[in-house]
């Protein structure tokens, strides 16, 4: 039995100007504000890394549950599943694991991951590296965080991996 809702949810990725225009200042206010404006989802932006404390993440997750706000978490922009340097790919696995840790604390059911770019190698080579990194991640997790989905993001830039077909292959 899935713990994921079977209905659509709607909400922003991060807080925009409209949030601040309504007098909001702190991330902890987000779930209540979303509830008031009729939205029921939020993507926690950890695009520059997970820097919040465990206590802050738990408090944010509790507020989201109080207001029935479904959460996802966007991982770091600098993750590269397709990098040619094996150390960078291993570091990307560490970043994803830290994102999963944070997602678990806030109660997110999905993390969003950029798969990287082709750079100076062919798309086929980049896809092979990306898939290899995803396999290594799954092996490293050893079932931990299996309640959180890994969402590979579709991308629009030509040099980045992330066409619909590429994302389906990675899945």
């Amino acid at each position: 039995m899935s713990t994921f809702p079977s209905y659509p949810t709607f909400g922003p990725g991060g807080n925009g100007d409209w949030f601040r225009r309504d007098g909001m200042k702190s991330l902890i206010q987000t779930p209540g504000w979303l509830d008031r404006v009729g939205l029921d989802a939020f993507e926690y932006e950890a695009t520059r890394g997970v820097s919040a404390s465990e206590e802050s993440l738990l408090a944010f997750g509790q507020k989201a549950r109080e207001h029935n706000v479904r959460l996802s978490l966007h991982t770091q922009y600098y993750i590269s599943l397709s990098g040619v340097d094996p150390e960078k790919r291993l570091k990307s696995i560490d970043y994803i694991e830290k994102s999963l840790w944070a997602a678990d604390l806030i109660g997110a059911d999905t993390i969003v991951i950029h798969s990287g770019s082709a750079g100076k190698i062919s798309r086929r080579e980049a896809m092979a590296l990306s898939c290899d990194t995803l396999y290594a991640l799954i092996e490293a997790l050893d079932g931990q965080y299996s309640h959180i989905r890994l969402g590979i993001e579709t991308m629009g830039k030509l040099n980045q991996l992330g066409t619909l077909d590429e994302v389906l292959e990675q899945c």
Side-chain angles (χ1 to χ4, degrees):
M1 182 165 162
S2 174
T3 60
F4 306 116
S6 59
Y7 52 85
T9 56
F10 297 92
N15 287 321
D17 291 340
W18 30 264
F19 178 76
R20 287 172 203 73
R21 277 196 301 265
D22 278 359
M24 303 295 114
K25 295 180 178 153
S26 171
L27 184 67
I28 197 77
Q29 296 173 300
T30 302
W33 181 82
L34 290 168
D35 191 18
R36 283 192 298 282
V37 299
L39 298 172
D40 57 2
F42 182 75
E43 185 172 87
Y44 184 98
E45 300 293 316
T47 56
R48 290 185 173 84
V50 177
S51 59
S53 69
E54 183 172 339
E55 179 182 44
S56 295
L57 293 167
L58 287 168
F60 178 73
Q62 180 59 38
K63 283 290 182 194
R65 284 185 292 285
E66 287 172 14
H67 292 280
N68 296 311
V69 173
R70 181 178 174 196
L71 297 174
S72 62
L73 182 142
H74 197 297
T75 63
Q76 297 82 352
Y77 285 137
Y78 43 83
I79 287 174
S80 179
L81 302 179
S82 62
V84 294
D85 180 353
E87 270 190 58
K88 284 188 178 180
R89 287 198 319 278
L90 287 174
K91 194 68 177 156
S92 290
I93 290 172
D94 290 342
Y95 296 140
I96 294 169
E97 286 185 86
K98 179 90 184 237
S99 294
L100 284 163
W101 169 81
D104 190 44
L105 291 175
I106 66 174
D109 62 18
T110 304
I111 65 167
V112 178
I113 305 167
H114 289 173
S115 31
S117 65
K120 296 179 181 177
I121 58 176
S122 72
R123 287 188 89 77
R124 182 65 11 227
E125 290 170 307
M127 279 297 293
L129 289 170
S130 181
C131 290
D132 182 62
T133 306
L134 286 169
Y135 280 120
L137 169 66
I138 291 166
E139 190 173 274
L141 293 174
D142 193 30
Q144 188 179 15
Y145 304 118
S146 61
H147 57 288
I148 302 172
R149 293 181 287 196
L150 304 178
I152 308 298
E153 189 167 13
T154 56
M155 303 296 292
K157 293 183 179 177
L158 292 177
N159 69 333
Q160 293 177 327
L161 298 181
T163 67
L164 179 58
D165 287 338
E166 288 168 340
V167 170
L168 291 173
E169 183 178 335
Q170 289 167 322
C171 291

